[in-house]
Amino acid sequence: MDTYCWSHLGHAVHTVHQQPEQDYSDRPALLLVHGFGASTDHWRYNIPVLAKTHAVHAIDLLGFGRSSKPAELAYGGPLWRDQLVAYVQERIGRPTVIAGNSLGGFAALAAGAELKQDCAGVVLLNAAGPFSDEQQPPKGWAAIARQSIGSALLKSPVLQRLLFENLRRPATIRRTLNQVYVDKTNVDDWLVESIRRPSLDPGAFGVFRTVFDIPRGQPLDELFAELTAPLLLLWGMRDPWINAPGRRATFQRHAPAATTEVVLDAGHCPHDEVPDQVNASLLDWLAGLT
């Protein structure tokens, strides 16, 4: 597996790349996109398997992992969408399947819709992001007051710093992972450290603070309407962070008619919790594309 430092908007971006031993250049490349607080390290059990038959790339979004964390950037969907689009066009240079988990799923879908014919497919693993009807403002004085007070508290620099210091403690990281993994086998010291290490970088707290101000971005239903590539939804149905059955039903109402779905007995990060099942499902779907 090769590592490469690519530049986007003048900032260093960490990427990894692994090629098959045989020539499979007739098949689409794969670009893997991590979720919030994670990095290319989170694809540890996927890249070696997928790279047997496809050129596989993984990228650290700006603000995360080993990529730069500059204070002046407007973190959010448009930044990460454009980063992925530029990487496909500049570094891969051929039709690419983009797969993303959680926040990375939202970025993958937005990039796939933007790339048009240069996107060979999109794979969403418990993707984040709002639908149009979820962006409506709260109704009634009580709902507005609750949201306003909660928002004001979360924008307090002191409270944000306290939250950040607590969230990057190894014990807190492990506890959080144990909450979102049904099978805790892969919640190991290596995974905890891969999440803790980037939080020590200069600028990490600044990126964390932007979480409370990140624009929601384009709604998922609008992105689905713009997507021309095949879509695969991989669901960890025991995800405690989202109402997976309810969210799946919403996705089914808006996703393209030919969408493929795979339901797994896993939590928020199925690619790392049940990698054998995710790899098999993804390779089976990719075989149908080729």
Side-chain angles (χ1 to χ4, degrees), residues 24 27 39 65 73 85 114 196 219 231 269:
Y24 290 112
R27 300 180 179 183
S39 67
L73 287 182
V85 167
E114 182 76 14
R196 187 191 74 89
L231 177 65
C269 309

Side-chain angles (χ1 to χ4, degrees), residues 44-69:
R44 54 182 171 167
Y45 298 126
N46 311 107
I47 295 174
V49 176
L50 300 174
K52 292 178 180 179
T53 53
H54 292 76
V56 179
H57 299 251
I59 190 169
D60 283 351
L61 297 172
L62 284 167
F64 298 105
R66 296 175 179 86
S67 288
S68 294
K69 303 168 181 62

Side-chain angles (χ1 to χ4, degrees), residues 1-244:
M1 189 184 307
D2 299 320
T3 62
Y4 181 83
C5 184
W6 174 65
S7 177
H8 181 61
L9 302 178
H11 303 293
V13 174
H14 175 79
T15 72
V16 299
H17 173 220
Q18 187 166 338
Q19 287 272 39
E21 293 183 0
Q22 301 180 45
D23 182 12
Y24 290 112
S25 56
D26 59 325
R27 300 180 179 183
L30 286 172
L31 175 59
L32 308 178
V33 190
H34 61 83
F36 185 85
S39 67
T40 55
D41 291 340
H42 214 189
W43 302 101
R44 54 182 171 167
Y45 298 126
N46 311 107
I47 295 174
V49 176
L50 300 174
K52 292 178 180 179
T53 53
H54 292 76
V56 179
H57 299 251
I59 190 169
D60 283 351
L61 297 172
L62 284 167
F64 298 105
R66 296 175 179 86
S67 288
S68 294
K69 303 168 181 62
E72 67 271 19
L73 287 182
Y75 292 98
L79 172 69
W80 297 317
R81 175 201 63 204
D82 293 347
Q83 180 186 349
L84 298 179
V85 167
Y87 186 81
V88 170
Q89 294 175 338
E90 296 176 19
R91 290 294 302 165
I92 300 180
R94 60 191 176 98
T96 302
V97 171
I98 311 178
N101 170 235
S102 191
L103 171 70
F106 177 73
L109 177 60
E114 182 76 14
L115 282 164
K116 304 298 183 186
Q117 70 274 9
D118 289 332
C119 177
V122 170
V123 182
L124 304 182
L125 301 98
N126 292 46
F131 288 91
S132 295
D133 58 2
E134 296 171 342
Q135 292 186 315
Q136 301 302 316
K139 296 181 180 180
W141 288 109
I144 293 172
R146 282 195 300 270
Q147 186 184 69
S148 300
I149 293 170
S151 177
L153 287 173
L154 288 175
K155 289 183 179 180
S156 162
V158 174
L159 179 58
Q160 289 173 355
R161 187 80 212 190
L162 290 172
L163 283 171
F164 178 72
E165 293 299 334
N166 179 60
L167 288 173
R168 70 176 177 174
R169 292 173 57 242
T172 305
I173 294 171
R174 187 179 298 275
R175 184 166 58 251
T176 302
L177 290 169
N178 281 329
Q179 291 173 354
V180 300
Y181 280 55
V182 177
D183 181 345
K184 281 102 170 125
T185 302
N186 290 338
V187 180
D188 52 22
D189 292 342
W190 189 93
L191 179 60
V192 171
E193 181 61 16
S194 76
I195 295 173
R196 187 191 74 89
R197 185 180 58 248
S199 73
L200 305 179
D201 292 347
F205 175 59
V207 175
F208 174 78
R209 290 191 64 187
T210 68
V211 172
F212 305 102
D213 297 309
I214 283 179
R216 289 180 176 268
Q218 193 172 2
L220 292 172
D221 43 303
E222 293 183 9
L223 293 173
F224 283 142
E226 296 175 7
L227 183 69
T228 58
L231 177 65
L232 171 63
L233 303 177
L234 285 168
W235 292 105
M237 288 303 288
R238 295 173 65 185
D239 184 347
W241 281 355
I242 62 173
N243 172 17

